[in-house]
Amino acid sequence: MAMRGSATDNISNLEFMQQLAGYIPGIIHRERNNRQYIYLYKMRDYWVAFDESAFLLCRLFKDTQTSILRVAEFPFPVIMVCISDDDLQKYGEKHIFRRDYQDHKVIVGTKIVAEQYWTWYRMEIEDS
């Protein structure tokens, strides 16, 4: 798995890839069927979302960091978006999480319009 972008500047690439490697197939499978939820996973002082969740997260938060992951097991790039723990905590003061666990959270987002998602996805990949 290779990463491009700056979303994980505070996390060593090796540590990040080791931590994520066992979860990525399940995450990708969940995201392919996701049309409304933002699935967030805790990585030190950040929360990360992938693909459809990443798209919704970018619509909800203006200050996000995006990275493109190249995963050997998958023929397509995976988009990862990060927000700070502080930003998510502030959001949580005024909103209720659908699921609220120490290492992962779920936010109900707006329903994804496939055309908007794929336009965003292509733009993110082309800009990387």
Side-chain angles (χ1 to χ4, degrees):
M1 180 183 336
M3 293 186 299
R4 297 176 69 183
S6 61
T8 56
D9 285 346
N10 294 331
I11 305 171
S12 78
N13 286 344
L14 179 60
E15 177 186 357
F16 175 77
M17 289 186 290
Q18 288 172 339
Q19 190 172 1
L20 190 61
Y23 299 103
I24 200 74
I27 290 170
I28 299 304
H29 178 73
R30 176 183 289 143
E31 290 301 329
R32 291 293 165 239
N33 298 311
N34 181 21
R35 295 294 174 256
Q36 183 174 4
Y37 299 106
I38 303 171
Y39 295 96
L40 296 162
Y41 307 90
K42 179 80 169 173
M43 298 294 292
R44 287 196 182 172
D45 295 332
Y46 293 92
W47 290 90
V48 296
F50 300 89
D51 286 343
E52 282 84 346
S53 290
F55 170 69
L56 291 172
L57 191 64
C58 285
R59 295 175 78 186
L60 193 60
F61 291 88
K62 299 300 177 208
D63 190 22
T64 61
Q65 298 176 354
T66 303
S67 292
I68 308 301
L69 305 178
R70 309 281 181 195
V71 181
E73 298 85 22
F74 298 98
F76 48 84
V78 176
I79 299 176
M80 180 183 77
V81 172
C82 289
I83 60 168
S84 72
D85 185 56
D86 290 342
D87 286 346
L88 190 62
Q89 295 300 327
K90 288 176 192 169
Y91 176 86
E93 291 172 3
K94 296 180 182 177
H95 300 86
I96 298 172
F97 295 103
R98 183 163 196 254
R99 291 202 173 87
D100 189 1
Y101 300 103
Q102 196 169 14
D103 62 344
H104 70 278
K105 298 186 185 304
V106 179
I107 298 172
V108 177
T110 58
K111 290 211 182 234
I112 291 176
V113 175
E115 186 176 305
Q116 291 175 342
Y117 168 75
W118 287 111
T119 299
W120 172 82
Y121 181 89
R122 283 190 294 275
M123 286 176 48
E124 292 295 331
I125 298 301
E126 289 171 5
D127 288 346
S128 66

